[in-house]
Amino acid sequence: MNRYYWILGAFAALVVLLAVGLGLNPRDIPSPLVGKPVPAFRLALLADPDKTFGPEELRGKPWLLNVWASWCVSCRQEHPLLVEFSKKLDVPLIGLNYKEVRGDGEFDMSKLPADEEKKLALQRATGWLRDHGDPYRLTAMDIDGRVGIDFGVYGVPETYVIDKDGIIRMKHTGPITPDVLTKKILPLLAELSK
Amino acid sequence: MIARALTFSLMLALCLAATGAQASSAWEAAVAADPVAEKRLQALSKELRCLVCQNETIADSNAELAVDLRREIRGMIHDGRSDNEIIDFMVARYGDFVLYRPPVKGVTLLLWGGPVVLLLLGLGALFAYLRRRAGRVGDTERPLSTEEARRLEALLKEPDNK
């Protein structure tokens, strides 16, 4: 009889293990960039493509970088929250528009020349922000996704918290929920703003 | 034989043409046409996991990100970077998760050692069970008592009354 208790115990342990495993989010991959300096880049601005933005311009204050695209469905989900809290936020929220045109999958990129792609990307991104609200201090255009690779972007939307020394302190993959915002991002920003 | 060689070279040419068509710039085409570089790209992308469809390598995956990363690897091969440098580039951005073969270190000890530990536990349990069983079987192997011997004798002599 004892033996059966032992087997039952082992089975229960397996159930617990699998239950915990099922509860984990497989998209939540720890980023090796946390604790590292923000990757250097220089990209054209959405509002004024003749001007550029680079992360070194924000040295000295903490800031947020939000990776988005108009084709990204989850971005739509988190966007109202961004618009809402950006009004009371006293740190810069920077948008990184990721592969606006080629990420969509609706275009045959071999038939779209680079300058056409750029024009279309600016048009689409501007239109989307007009329709859904613009929470960003500025949006930088990562049209070919090369900067995204340096950030290890793999699932838009992604949000990075960067401290005043330009070190990435947190990365959130997937839409920001009110829970993530109030329990993780805002406390971290408060601490970094001290 | 000649026909087979012909088909093979035709297929090779087609493959090269296909990769060439995908490559959008001159250097990409140059790398794609170079069989050694293309082999390195194949080998490297089989070692790297696509983070979007997590159970595929970036060699197998057709996700946007996998296409981008293959292009990135092509670029690095073109720049003459070593395989190790390319792998390090990926790990620095996507973490150990990008490696299809996770490295042996502190946090992966259970992953690598777990199966061995389970095997040893199983073998231990098996041997313990076999020894106990051998002990029990041994107990029953005593010689028959005189009474039992007589009964056996009687049973064996009994005629089959079918």
Side-chain angles (χ1 to χ4, degrees):
Chain A
M1 201 58 212
N2 242 349
R3 191 157 47 133
Y4 296 111
Y5 283 126
W6 194 84
I7 293 172
L8 199 68
F11 180 70
L14 192 67
V15 167
V16 170
L17 185 78
L18 294 180
V20 170
L22 277 177
L24 295 176
N25 177 8
R27 300 262 147 212
D28 206 6
I29 302 163
S31 171
L33 272 96
V34 173
K36 302 255 167 61
V38 57
F41 64 84
R42 189 141 281 281
L43 290 173
L45 300 186
L46 172 61
D48 185 356
D50 294 331
K51 288 194 187 135
T52 58
F53 167 78
E56 69 283 350
E57 288 171 25
L58 290 171
R59 273 289 164 93
K61 50 189 158 188
W63 54 289
L64 289 171
L65 182 76
N66 180 251
V67 185
W68 68 279
S70 73
W71 44 261
C72 151
V73 180
S74 310
C75 299
R76 204 159 295 193
Q77 190 185 330
E78 73 169 8
H79 205 72
L81 192 65
L82 289 181
V83 172
E84 186 56 40
F85 95 87
S86 70
K87 289 179 197 151
K88 328 171 239 194
L89 195 70
D90 47 5
V91 304
L93 172 63
I94 305 295
L96 179 69
N97 178 285
Y98 176 70
K99 293 172 50 170
E100 176 60 43
V101 174
R102 61 179 68 188
D104 193 346
E106 265 186 39
F107 298 93
D108 182 359
M109 293 314 297
S110 62
K111 294 204 183 93
L112 200 66
D115 52 334
E116 286 288 317
E117 183 185 6
K118 187 175 175 188
K119 218 164 77 187
L120 193 59
L122 292 170
Q123 201 181 355
R124 282 167 48 117
T126 310
W128 198 78
L129 289 182
R130 200 192 312 115
D131 294 347
H132 296 87
D134 184 356
Y136 306 110
R137 177 165 300 186
L138 60 90
T139 287
M141 298 299 289
D142 183 18
I143 290 175
D144 60 7
R146 291 292 290 272
V147 170
I149 290 181
D150 282 342
F151 274 86
V153 170
Y154 63 90
V156 219
E158 296 191 359
T159 305
Y160 298 79
V161 181
I162 296 143
D163 72 10
K164 56 178 183 286
D165 300 319
I167 307 290
I168 296 178
R169 297 298 289 267
M170 190 195 129
K171 173 184 176 179
H172 179 78
T173 307
I176 296 176
T177 59
D179 215 36
V180 172
L181 184 66
T182 51
K183 288 196 180 128
K184 285 169 83 182
I185 297 180
L186 291 181
L188 180 60
L189 280 177
E191 188 196 319
L192 295 177
S193 302
K194 269 179 206 163
Chain B
M1 202 58 205
I2 294 169
R4 193 182 287 175
L6 264 176
T7 340
F8 178 72
S9 48
L10 187 68
M11 274 167 62
L12 191 72
L14 277 176
C15 288
L16 288 179
T19 35
Q22 271 179 357
S24 57
S25 67
W27 63 262
E28 276 181 71
V31 177
D34 174 0
V36 182
E38 206 55 12
K39 209 170 230 168
R40 272 184 69 200
L41 171 69
Q42 280 298 318
L44 277 167
S45 36
K46 278 195 184 119
E47 289 294 314
L48 296 168
R49 181 191 303 277
C50 172
L51 282 92
V52 178
C53 23
Q54 302 181 344
N55 285 325
E56 280 186 311
T57 63
I58 62 172
D60 301 329
S61 176
N62 270 323
E64 278 277 331
L65 183 69
V67 177
D68 283 1
L69 291 182
R70 283 200 297 264
R71 193 188 54 202
E72 203 68 14
I73 295 173
R74 258 201 198 109
M76 285 189 279
I77 290 176
H78 181 68
D79 294 343
R81 300 236 235 148
S82 75
D83 286 3
N84 274 339
E85 281 173 321
I86 296 175
I87 298 278
D88 287 348
F89 173 94
M90 294 295 168
V91 172
R93 283 156 181 77
Y94 299 100
D96 287 339
F97 190 77
V98 79
L99 301 174
Y100 233 85
R101 266 187 275 209
V104 185
K105 55 187 202 185
V107 285
T108 56
L109 220 56
L110 190 66
L111 184 68
W112 283 98
V116 181
V117 171
L118 282 181
L119 178 70
L120 290 179
L121 276 178
L123 282 178
L126 179 68
F127 280 122
Y129 172 71
L130 284 179
R131 191 172 312 153
R132 247 197 356 239
R133 187 161 163 273
R136 269 205 310 259
V137 171
D139 282 349
T140 56
E141 273 178 3
R142 58 188 168 77
L144 298 177
S145 66
T146 34
E147 173 60 20
E148 283 166 338
R150 216 174 33 235
R151 269 190 67 204
L152 175 67
E153 203 71 359
L155 282 169
L156 284 175
K157 270 187 197 151
E158 219 170 73
D160 282 335
N161 41 2
K162 263 186 197 165

